[in-house]
């Protein structure tokens, strides 16, 4: 039995911070005369802060000086953090704690693989900081998802070969990153949106211990499709 590694995305998998990102991006967009919708917010899931602002400006046909771009990004984050500061353990998504506890009981290495630069702050608020053996987030990578860097670094940090890692991800960009890293991609959300994932669950309440145990025990978790991904 090869040693497995379990890598969790943060926003949209462990907690639903997309609603706070939405409020903060909407305020910013409005301040520069851009209309920002929830549908557009969906497209920012898993996308880094810099790339998110670039997308919003493109949607609104606006360009900014570098100084204004950086100022607005900082303002957005301050506003976003005002929501994060009010978070507590009640915001952990259903089923997540059970799954984490099961993997801990089975002595499985677990890592965080998130695009967020606020991951430590968020994990502390929901009392999960010490749960992870490694935390790789937006501060540790230079290339944003769908680049596999974040997950490859997470695998390295928990000393598990990428092909023995399982990634739980809610964004299309994140699923693509896991696939490029040749890891098993488990989508959390809508199967029609996450159609590139190896398997999709609506949320963690659909993931039972039997499934987790199969992942732990399975000799080869990578399906044939992965071999063709460059
Ligand atoms: P921050 P994840 C991502 O987190 C979010 O899905 C995405 O919407 C956000 O823009 C990105 O983090 C950067 O977040 O502004 O906190 O650095 O889903 O990869 O955990
Ligand atoms: Mg996410």
């Amino acid at each position: 039995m090869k040693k497995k590694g379990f890598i969790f995305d943060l926003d949209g998998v462990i907690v639903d911070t997309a609603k706070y990102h939405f409020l903060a991006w909407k305020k910013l967009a409005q301040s520069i005369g851009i209309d920002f919708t929830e549908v557009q917010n969906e497209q920012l899931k898993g996308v880094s802060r810099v790339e998110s602002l670039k997308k919003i400006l493109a949607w609104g046909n606006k360009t900014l000086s570098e100084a204004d771009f950086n100022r607005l990004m900082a303002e957005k984050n301050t506003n976003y953090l005002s929501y994060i500061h009010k978070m507590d353990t009640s915001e952990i998504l259903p089923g997540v704690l059970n799954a984490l506890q099961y993997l801990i009981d089975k002595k499985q290495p677990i890592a965080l693989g998130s695009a967020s630069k606020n991951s430590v702050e968020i994990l502390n608020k929901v009392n999960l900081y010490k749960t992870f053996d490694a935390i790789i987030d937006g501060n540790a990578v230079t290339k944003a998802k769908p680049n596999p860097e974040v997950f490859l670094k997470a695998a390295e940090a928990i000393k598990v070969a990428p092909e023995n890692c399982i990634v739980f991800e809610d964004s299309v960009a994140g699923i693509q990153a896991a696939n490029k890293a040749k890891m098993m991609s488990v989508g959390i959300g809508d199967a029609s949106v996450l159609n590139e994932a190896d398997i999709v669950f609506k949320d963690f309440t659909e993931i039972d211990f039997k499934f987790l145990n199969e992942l732990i025990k399975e000799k080869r978790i990578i399906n044939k499709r992965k071999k063709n991904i460059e």
Side-chain angles (χ1 to χ4, degrees), residues 40-93:
Q40 287 167 324
N41 194 51
E42 280 297 305
Q43 293 175 50
L44 301 184
K45 281 188 178 173
V47 177
S48 70
R49 202 181 308 165
V50 176
E51 292 305 319
S52 297
L53 183 50
K54 283 186 189 164
K55 275 181 188 271
I56 292 171
L57 293 175
W59 289 328
N61 265 323
K62 285 240 174 249
T63 48
L64 291 177
S65 69
E66 199 184 328
D68 283 345
F69 187 99
N70 290 335
R71 181 180 52 80
L72 284 179
M73 243 188 7
E75 274 176 27
K76 182 267 172 180
N77 199 49
T78 303
N79 187 19
Y80 173 68
L81 284 175
S82 70
Y83 297 106
I84 298 305
H85 290 152
K86 290 181 211 133
M87 287 180 84
D88 61 31
T89 53
S90 67
E91 296 207 38
I92 299 172
L93 289 168

Side-chain angles (χ1 to χ4, degrees), residues 16 31 72-73 114 117 121 132 152 154 158 171 189 195 213 224:
D16 176 22
S31 77
L72 284 179
M73 243 188 7
S114 165
K117 291 187 170 177
E121 179 99 33
F132 291 89
L152 290 172
I158 52 174
S171 74
N195 53 22
N213 205 34
K224 286 195 187 114

